[in-house]
Every structure is written in structure tokens, then in C-alpha cells.
Amino acid sequence: MRALTVQRVKFTMGLPLLKRAEKTRNFVSRSLAVGEVLSTVDMATAVKCGIIYWLFGGAVRNLGSPSHVTKWLQPLQPPGQKYTGMFAMTERGHGSNVRGIQTEATFDLSAQEFVIHTPCEDAMKMYTGNAMHGNYAAVFAQLIVDGRYQGPHCFIVPVRDESGNLYPGVTAIDMMYKEGLHGADDGI
């Protein structure tokens, strides 16, 4: 079911009707309309599309700069669809309370990069949508610069290469099937 759902997402999002809907200016109205149509056909496909395009894509669109939008949203779109995204906000110990999350993103000045770290079990991301297939994750973490907390921020984190192999330092645990949504793949 999961493999079939992945195929359905690629097929569905490439349909001319949905391509026209993508050009609609009102993101919320468009998302609700497309989600409602997809839900009448297959709820797992609607959930997976929602995660890839509206949660991951919405995080990029609403929190990223124009260059982020160009870099991350255009390759996400069918027919090319070079990768898929996932959404990693909810934590084991804090639910969806973004202000209370414990995942850390520390800026490493020497490497000029952010290091994403899960300091304890309560900081494990749970119910991460598209966790068993996604290449990149929109990860919410507490930004730390020069030892000082700067509050929660969203980071695009590489999780899997083009072949689907996890990168070193990344662990993905399948939360198994959701009743009625066997095509969805939430994980830890």
C-alpha cells in the first residue's frame, strides 16, 4: 500500500487540474480544495500529499526566503519531483508545542553549518510524516548561536540520499500502519 500511495502521489500531483490549482494565489483555499478532492478518492494519498506539499512545502513557502522557495519547492513539483519532503515538528515529550521543543540546532562557526541534535528521548521527533520515504525534512529546533538560545527555527535537513539510504547520524523508526491509512508512513 505504501508503494502504491507513493505512485498515486506522483500521478495525482502531475494531473492538469492540480497543476492549474497550484497557480491559484490563495494557498489555504487551494490546499483545502485539493485535499478535499483527494480525500474522496484515497485518504492515504491525501495525507501523503498534505505532508509533502502543504506541511513540508508550506514550511518552506511560509518560513523561507525567496531563494529557499526557488531551491526547495521547484524540484519538489511533478513531473520532475527530484525528492520528497517530510515534516518533523512533534516531539515525544512536548507534542506539537514548538516553543517547548528540545531538539537543538547549534551553529558550528568553523564548519559554517548547523548541527541538528536530539539531546534526549523526549526530543525524538514523532509522527514525522513521510518518514520512511522522504529525502529532506523540515525540522523544527531551538537555534543556538554562540551558546545562546535564539528560539525555535525551521531547518531543511537531509535525511536520505537519492537511493533512499539514510545519511550517517540519522535514524528512522517506522511507527507501522495507521488504521485505515496503510499507505501513510509516520515514523520516529
Side-chain angles (χ1 to χ4, degrees):
M1 276 307 292
R2 287 181 176 180
L4 179 59
T5 301
V6 169
Q7 291 173 354
R8 286 177 175 167
V9 167
K10 289 180 180 179
F11 173 79
T12 303
M13 294 310 292
L15 291 172
L17 175 63
L18 292 182
K19 285 183 180 180
R20 282 196 303 273
E22 278 295 309
K23 294 179 182 168
T24 305
R25 290 181 187 215
N26 187 323
F27 176 74
V28 174
S29 295
R30 177 183 67 233
S31 299
L32 291 173
V34 171
E36 187 172 336
V37 170
L38 291 176
S39 295
T40 63
V41 178
D42 177 49
M43 193 61 179
T45 300
V47 166
K48 198 162 191 76
C49 282
I51 291 161
I52 296 169
Y53 298 102
W54 298 293
L55 289 177
F56 176 84
V60 171
R61 183 180 291 108
N62 293 304
L63 301 174
S65 68
S67 64
H68 290 125
V69 171
T70 300
K71 178 179 180 178
W72 294 104
L73 284 187
Q74 289 175 354
L76 184 66
Q77 305 301 318
Q81 195 175 30
K82 294 184 167 85
Y83 69 90
T84 64
M86 61 181 83
F87 190 75
M89 179 185 70
T90 304
E91 289 184 355
R92 180 180 182 179
H94 295 86
S96 297
N97 172 14
V98 176
R99 291 181 71 190
I101 59 176
Q102 293 180 315
T103 300
E104 299 173 342
T106 305
F107 184 69
D108 182 342
L109 186 61
S110 62
Q112 290 292 296
E113 65 184 13
F114 293 97
V115 177
I116 308 295
H117 177 64
T118 306
C120 62
E121 284 188 13
D122 278 350
M124 292 189 316
K125 297 297 184 186
M126 306 231 9
Y127 302 101
T128 301
N130 201 30
M132 305 321 291
H133 290 100
N135 302 98
Y136 293 92
V139 175
F140 288 79
Q142 298 288 347
L143 174 61
I144 302 170
V145 179
D146 292 329
R148 294 192 317 211
Y149 283 81
Q150 305 295 317
H153 286 68
C154 184
F155 298 85
I156 303 299
V157 177
V159 174
R160 286 184 180 80
D161 62 23
E162 291 177 7
S163 300
N165 301 310
L166 291 170
Y167 283 113
V170 177
T171 303
I173 302 167
D174 194 344
M175 293 180 78
M176 301 311 291
Y177 299 109
K178 287 180 153 182
E179 188 170 330
L181 291 173
H182 294 285
D185 57 332
D186 283 354
I188 300 168

